[in-house]
Amino acid sequence: MKIIEGHHEIDVPDGVPVWDVDPYDVNILQDPSDYYAELRSKGPFVFIPKYSILACGRHKETKEVFSDWERFVSSRGVGLQDFELEEPWRPRSIILEVDPPDHAITRRVLARALSPKATADLKEDFQIEADKLIDELLEKGSFEAVVELAEEFPTTVFPKAVGLKENNSRALVDYGAMVFNALGPDNELRRNAMAMGPTTVPWIVEQCSRKNLKDKGFGATIFAAADAGEINEEQAEKLVRSLLSAGVDTTVTGIGSALWCLASFPEQFKRLKEDPSLMRPAFEEVLRFTSPVHSFCRTANGDTEVSGVKIAEGSKILCVLGAANADETQWSDPNKFDIGRRPTGHLAMGTGIHGCVGQNLARAEVAAVLTSILNKVDKIEFTGEAVWRPNNAIHALDKLPLIFKTA
Ligand code: OVM
């Protein structure tokens, strides 16, 4: 049997169209909407020969594959590589890259650390930080919103919330880029990200140990679970690593994309200012409309069938969340950004047992930034062209030149 990108080569299942596309092509990663539409139009699944994978982008199948952890496991990796065949680049995540029953134990600990109560306690602090930052940017005039706001805010409040004694924003952002690019093929994006390993990984690993964490914060809650015998010390360190892996790039992207949406659709910003109670649905719409995590894989752990398509054991399935979130059978006028639509059922934060465990925190961060903007800013305008940054799993902005104006 041939191995391709770390997984078994598979046969084209009966009735599945072959599509000679590279989902990791830089042009697609930067501007994916045509690819999303074509993927959905071809059927429930396509076969992509370049990587010998199946891909799905209709809401129905993407949701089914993503949530059925018994048939479509995460323990064989959520990128192209099959961990049953090849060792991953880092010791595997004990929450993301694991199945029940092991998953339940670590999930319970992280869910506790990131509970609605734990994140609500941070609200005041987040608001103070957001107000300070937005005041500075108003004063400044034109600014580059990726670095000066979307990265600045999470890399200020998140390490504090975890309880890191030392902060290194660069390492946090770079490690996120490594973790997410690692899910793709051995392309230039992945290789460039991996080249940051020597300057990034040792610092990250070091911050995960008990001695480098304060006695308050998400880290402390995780180590308390170790003290209680729920997990061991090494597992606690790994769960802190999960926070640092998944907590930065994602929220940076969420904030950046929210700003991009509000700058791109001024009438929607106006509507939000007039009715701040729309803030939460507005952010859900940002998630649906921009899909910060554009795709994750699952692996068929046995021969199975979805929507009449026979799927063989070992098949890697690229679940294109961004495509599912624009499925016209699920939402009317999906390519319209509409903060009033209340897009329940979007897959931007996944679904099922692996659904984003940090989502309360992510929403709290965005709420602080948006609240501040709604209170202080009357107009958000571009001062240059927005540029998207290709990444094998994340759809994020690279450059976002903006100006905040008051009336
Ligand atoms: C982890 C993790 C969790 C969610 C996403 C992610 C690929 C990593 O546990 O390390 O990014």
Side-chain angles (χ1 to χ4, degrees):
M1 192 168 339
K2 234 180 100 184
I3 305 291
I4 174 166
E5 295 294 348
H7 60 265
H8 289 302
E9 198 171 56
I10 57 167
D11 295 327
V12 186
D14 278 346
V16 170
V18 175
W19 188 20
D20 192 12
V21 69
D22 181 358
Y24 302 98
D25 181 293
V26 166
N27 296 308
I28 288 180
L29 294 172
Q30 286 183 310
D31 184 9
S33 36
D34 290 348
Y35 151 74
Y36 289 165
E38 196 167 344
L39 174 62
R40 287 190 308 271
S41 78
K42 285 181 181 289
F45 292 92
V46 300
F47 174 84
I48 298 176
K50 185 170 166 73
Y51 302 117
S52 196
I53 56 173
L54 300 176
C56 56
R58 293 183 180 180
H59 189 273
K60 181 180 179 290
E61 288 79 20
T62 306
K63 186 178 170 184
E64 179 171 340
V65 172
F66 227 57
S67 49
D68 190 338
W69 54 267
E70 292 187 273
R71 291 189 297 154
F72 303 108
V73 296
S74 292
S75 55
R76 294 170 73 165
V78 299
L80 288 186
Q81 216 189 352
D82 184 347
F83 292 178
E84 247 171 45
L85 302 178
E86 283 185 357
E87 279 305 308
W89 69 282
R90 59 170 195 166
R92 65 186 70 192
S93 162
I94 60 170
I95 182 158
L96 177 75
E97 294 155 340
V98 67
D99 306 318
D102 300 344
H103 173 264
I105 297 160
T106 50
R107 173 82 188 195
R108 191 184 327 115
V109 174
L110 273 198
R112 182 185 309 136
L114 299 162
S115 70
K117 162 87 174 86
T119 52
D121 288 347
L122 297 165
K123 210 177 139 185
E124 231 170 282
D125 191 41
F126 283 7
Q127 201 56 60
I128 291 168
E129 286 297 338
D131 287 346
K132 202 168 90 188
L133 185 52
I134 300 304
D135 282 340
E136 280 169 20
L137 295 172
L138 269 165
E139 183 119 338
K140 188 161 192 228
S142 160
F143 61 98
E144 202 290 289
V146 172
V147 172
E148 294 180 79
L149 178 47
E151 289 184 359
E152 181 64 23
F153 184 74
T155 57
T156 303
V157 302
F158 180 70
K160 256 175 93 180
V162 174
L164 295 189
K165 286 185 182 165
E166 202 183 290
N167 192 2
N168 180 343
S169 304
R170 192 73 261 141
L172 287 168
V173 170
D174 288 349
Y175 191 66
M178 290 184 73
V179 164
F180 285 95
N181 274 310
L183 300 178
D186 181 23
N187 59 10
E188 204 180 324
L189 290 169
R190 193 180 194 277
R191 287 192 292 270
N192 288 343
M194 286 301 146
M196 301 191 293
T199 52
T200 305
V201 175
W203 184 84
I204 293 286
V205 171
E206 186 60 24
Q207 309 320 308
C208 297
S209 69
R210 195 193 282 262
K211 67 174 193 308
N212 290 321
L213 291 159
K214 297 182 184 165
D215 55 13
K216 254 196 151 135
F218 306 143
T221 311
I222 292 168
F223 276 95
D227 292 334
E230 221 174 328
I231 51 173
N232 63 34
E233 194 84 2
E234 194 197 323
Q235 289 175 308
E237 290 173 0
K238 283 277 192 56
L239 288 180
V240 175
R241 192 195 68 175
S242 282
L243 293 181
L244 304 186
S245 302
V248 177
D249 245 31
T250 47
T251 49
V252 167
T253 305
I255 292 169
S257 296
L259 293 166
W260 178 82
C261 287
L262 296 179
S264 300
F265 307 103
E267 77 293 346
Q268 298 291 314
F269 179 54
K270 189 163 170 278
R271 193 172 163 200
L272 183 56
K273 264 191 78 87
E274 282 161 9
D275 182 3
S277 78
L278 285 173
M279 197 160 66
R280 193 166 167 131
F283 182 54
E284 294 311 307
E285 178 66 350
V286 169
L287 288 174
R288 185 198 70 79
F289 192 73
T290 64
S291 297
V293 174
H294 60 74
S295 35
F296 265 4
C297 293
R298 293 288 189 257
T299 312
N301 209 33
D303 293 345
T304 186
E305 195 175 313
V306 175
S307 298
V309 171
K310 291 209 160 41
I311 297 174
E313 188 278 329
S315 299
K316 275 285 178 186
I317 305 168
L318 184 70
C319 299
V320 185
L321 306 171
N325 284 342
D327 188 334
E328 41 285 288
T329 68
Q330 185 72 15
W331 290 281
S332 61
D333 218 352
N335 296 320
K336 188 173 166 211
F337 178 73
D338 174 4
I339 66 170
R341 84 161 72 227
R342 291 168 203 273
T344 47
H346 74 69
L347 301 177
M349 291 201 180
T351 182
I353 63 162
H354 289 285
C356 180
V357 74
Q359 55 185 287
N360 302 311
L361 178 65
R363 290 203 178 86
E365 288 187 31
V366 173
V369 172
L370 290 186
T371 299
S372 194
I373 290 174
L374 294 185
N375 287 337
K376 294 168 184 284
V377 177
D378 294 305
K379 264 197 172 142
I380 307 175
E381 286 173 8
F382 290 105
T383 54
E385 212 189 317
V387 179
W388 294 86
R389 179 186 302 173
N391 177 298
N392 288 327
I394 291 216
H395 181 232
L397 287 148
D398 189 48
K399 294 273 180 310
L400 184 60
L402 293 181
I403 186 163
F404 286 158
K405 290 184 172 170
T406 51

